[in-house]
Amino acid sequence: MTKRSPFKYFKTSPEIIRLAVMLYVRFPLSLRNVEDLLHERGIDVSHETVRFWWRRFGPMFASEIRARRIEGMQSSRWRWHLDEMFVKINGEQHYLWRAVDHEGGVLESFVTKRRDRKAALKFLRKAMRRHGRPESVVTDKLRSYGAAMRDIGNANRQETGRWLNNRAENSHLPFRRRERAMLRFRRMRSLQLFASVHASVTNHFNADRSLSSRPWFKANRSAALAEWRGLCVE
């Protein structure tokens, strides 16, 4: 049975929708910035249309990218880096838990109101259910990690130490730039949705420019863009 195209009832072409979603999620732009960029290219859409597009198609694109990474064994089970970010929602402090592999690819994002053992355990189980059990897990010295690791029988795989978790700390920077561009978040649900979509899109276009030659970098970027244009094709 042929799968129905998700763009079937939209008058706008799928190429324009993919471009708008990519601009908004990948770069630190506001909805009105994306509206202006599209207008310069002769595409007249409202910023509210861009909002609707990314909320409708962003999770679909992210899910397909995630499935392709797991299927292609690009999701690492060797070493994970776990860390939590402080994020304010309407003036109230929340925590964004993030799991990062040894190359800086974001594996999982999870939003909670607390950072106790229960929250850490729920986050770990969610990440392992989707990506499997890693050989080693690097964390900071937050006691919630140790308690959660003991509950799932992973305590002997936990590593803590000064500077060991810099991979996770550096992976926070792209999200912090997006957070400032969006003037923070207003609901936990919106934060969870955007964090998961942003993680997948960042993984898709992520390439260490300093560790590669210019021809390889350009070829890799072209391949990533071509694959993006093929997402959710009927």
Side-chain angles (χ1 to χ4, degrees):
M1 182 177 179
T2 305
K3 184 179 179 181
R4 190 182 69 179
S5 172
F7 307 102
K8 183 175 181 180
Y9 298 105
F10 286 81
K11 296 180 180 179
T12 310
S13 67
E15 290 75 15
I16 294 177
I17 295 176
R18 290 194 191 93
L19 175 62
V21 174
M22 183 191 70
L23 289 175
Y24 180 65
V25 180
R26 182 184 177 190
F27 302 105
L29 301 172
S30 66
L31 292 168
R32 288 174 173 79
N33 291 148
V34 177
E35 178 184 358
D36 292 341
L37 289 174
L38 294 176
H39 182 72
E40 292 178 0
R41 289 160 173 78
I43 305 170
D44 188 14
V45 296
S46 168
H47 66 277
E48 289 297 336
T49 303
V50 178
R51 185 199 305 273
F52 176 79
W53 284 347
W54 93 258
R55 292 184 69 90
R56 173 70 177 270
F57 294 101
M60 297 171 58
F61 296 158
S63 178
E64 187 167 341
I65 292 172
R66 192 182 305 114
R68 291 184 181 184
R69 284 179 60 86
I70 295 175
E71 183 180 356
M73 297 301 293
Q74 296 178 2
S75 177
S76 174
R77 295 183 184 178
W78 173 48
R79 173 176 290 175
W80 289 5
H81 298 260
L82 308 183
D83 197 23
E84 70 284 350
M85 299 171 56
F86 297 88
V87 182
K88 284 195 174 182
I89 304 177
N90 290 328
E92 184 179 354
Q93 185 166 278
H94 291 70
Y95 304 96
L96 176 61
W97 304 75
R98 302 173 82 243
V100 181
D101 64 14
H102 66 283
E103 293 182 343
V106 183
L107 300 174
E108 197 64 55
S109 301
F110 187 61
V111 184
T112 62
K113 289 185 177 181
R114 301 177 182 273
R115 57 171 183 168
D116 52 8
R117 180 192 61 83
K118 184 178 180 180
L121 184 60
K122 192 173 182 180
F123 167 61
L124 280 170
R125 284 176 174 169
K126 181 182 179 182
M128 292 181 182
R129 184 168 57 248
R130 178 173 290 172
H131 301 279
R133 190 179 293 265
E135 296 181 11
S136 66
V137 180
V138 180
T139 69
D140 55 23
K141 295 184 179 181
L142 180 68
R143 294 183 178 180
S144 302
Y145 288 120
M149 297 284 279
R150 286 192 297 272
D151 283 0
I152 62 177
N154 239 20
N156 60 330
R157 304 186 182 185
Q158 184 182 10
E159 299 179 19
T160 59
R162 192 177 185 183
W163 299 312
L164 282 181
N165 216 19
N166 283 354
R167 178 67 72 181
E169 295 288 349
N170 292 333
S171 72
H172 296 334
L173 299 179
F175 187 84
R176 285 299 189 195
R177 288 193 288 267
R178 289 300 294 121
E179 181 187 21
R180 288 193 292 270
M182 297 176 70
L183 302 179
R184 299 185 182 277
F185 299 89
R186 293 169 179 80
R187 293 188 302 172
M188 281 184 63
R189 183 178 178 182
S190 299
L191 173 57
Q192 179 65 69
L193 175 64
F194 187 84
S196 60
V197 174
H198 181 266
S200 295
V201 175
T202 301
N203 291 340
H204 183 71
F205 290 101
N206 184 33
D208 291 328
R209 180 65 182 91
S210 60
L211 302 179
S212 58
S213 63
R214 179 175 176 81
W216 184 92
F217 179 78
K218 293 180 67 176
N220 183 74
R221 183 169 57 181
S222 299
L225 287 172
E227 189 175 355
W228 175 266
R229 297 188 187 102
L231 293 178
C232 295
V233 175
E234 185 179 2

